[in-house]
Amino acid sequence: AQTPSLKFGNIPSFNYANVALDDVRVYNRALSAAEVSKLHLRGGGWQYRKKITIDRTRVAGPLTDFPVLIRLANDPNLPGKAQASGNDILFTSSDGTTKLSHEIEKYVSATGELVAWVKVPSVSSTANTDIYMYYGDAGASDQQDKTGVWSNGYAGVWHLKETTGGAGAIKDSTSNGNNGTDSGGLGAAGQIGNAISVNGTTGYVNVGDPANGTLDFADAKDFSISGWFTRNVPGVNHFLVDKGSVGDNCTGGVAPVGYRLNLQDGGNAL
């Protein structure tokens, strides 16, 4: 028997379609009801999507479950289409259906400015990595999963994005809930969204000593600290992160307890 050709958009000697056609899929099995309901996420009411490409030349080596920063300075497609809260914004892998955990650090609905962190399962350094951003569902609930973003070995993540302070106001995005209390300095311009400005007297954050122990490390335990900072005043010690005793062997010969990250007098030694 003759095997007909698979075609998109026309039936020979009969008719042509007059549509815009995209992302056609043929399955060798019946889809489940759950799969159908989320197919392309359009069943949930999402009307728009755009592809985001992670440039391989910006990736030093392969990454797994990595929180990728997505920063849109001014996206004209978001205002009026996404919810003002940004709750309907979500991200998927390149298949267009597998949701990725994300956290929105900043969203300005009037301009479409977006700062978001998306945990991408695999980021290649040899080929571009594509993900999709969906938006435009007026009835969608909040799609964020911030603790899911920061689940790959993070003891604490503080974006310091808050503009209103108080006890426990400085939020830890991990599931550990190591929230801090500020002493002013909120709302400064930062490298990524907002930052906190400290001056040695006011404008600091105290996370305390969480009972869960997630910020304590044994002597032989490897751990890392990262962050962005810029000096306001040169020529002095800048204590950036500190979890230790008051005395230290730099000033009084007292052996330190805990850990500290500081920029020493002279400006170039951490």
Side-chain angles (χ1 to χ4, degrees), residues 3 8 10 29 46 62 96 98 117 131 133 145 151 176 184 212 215-216 235 262:
T3 301
F8 301 129
N10 83 307
R29 59 180 177 81
W46 278 267
T98 303
W117 299 90
I131 63 175
M133 179 177 75
D145 175 24
S151 61
N176 296 320
N212 58 29
L215 298 179
D216 296 322
N262 71 292

Side-chain angles (χ1 to χ4, degrees), residues 171-258:
K171 300 301 182 183
D172 171 17
S173 291
T174 75
S175 61
N176 296 320
N178 295 323
N179 301 327
T181 298
D182 70 285
S183 181
L186 303 182
Q191 177 72 14
I192 304 170
N194 289 338
I196 182 172
S197 179
V198 302
N199 60 17
T201 303
T202 61
Y204 61 88
V205 174
N206 188 350
V207 178
D209 184 19
N212 58 29
T214 52
L215 298 179
D216 296 322
F217 307 101
D219 290 343
K221 171 68 175 177
D222 291 335
F223 67 99
S224 304
I225 300 174
S226 69
W228 291 94
F229 71 91
T230 182
R231 294 181 302 164
N232 295 325
V233 179
V236 298
N237 286 346
H238 298 277
F239 294 96
L240 307 173
V241 178
D242 178 85
K243 190 180 188 299
S245 58
V246 175
D248 62 53
N249 58 6
C250 295
T251 59
V254 179
V257 177

Side-chain angles (χ1 to χ4, degrees), residues 31-110:
L31 295 180
S32 68
E35 289 174 315
V36 172
S37 68
K38 72 172 186 178
L39 189 61
H40 300 288
L41 296 176
R42 302 306 169 92
W46 278 267
Q47 300 300 310
Y48 310 99
R49 77 172 185 177
K50 62 175 54 186
K51 180 188 289 187
I52 297 174
T53 299
I54 302 169
D55 184 356
R56 62 179 176 79
T57 65
R58 305 289 295 274
V59 184
L63 301 169
T64 301
D65 289 335
F66 187 77
V68 174
L69 172 63
I70 304 297
R71 180 159 50 184
L72 306 176
N74 188 348
D75 190 320
N77 296 315
L78 290 175
K81 295 179 181 177
Q83 292 182 24
S85 63
N87 282 347
D88 59 328
I89 296 173
L90 62 82
F91 298 85
T92 74
S93 62
S94 59
D95 64 9
T97 60
T98 303
K99 283 182 64 176
L100 305 178
S101 295
H102 81 279
E103 177 188 15
I104 294 177
E105 181 174 339
K106 182 179 182 180
Y107 176 58
V108 181
S109 60

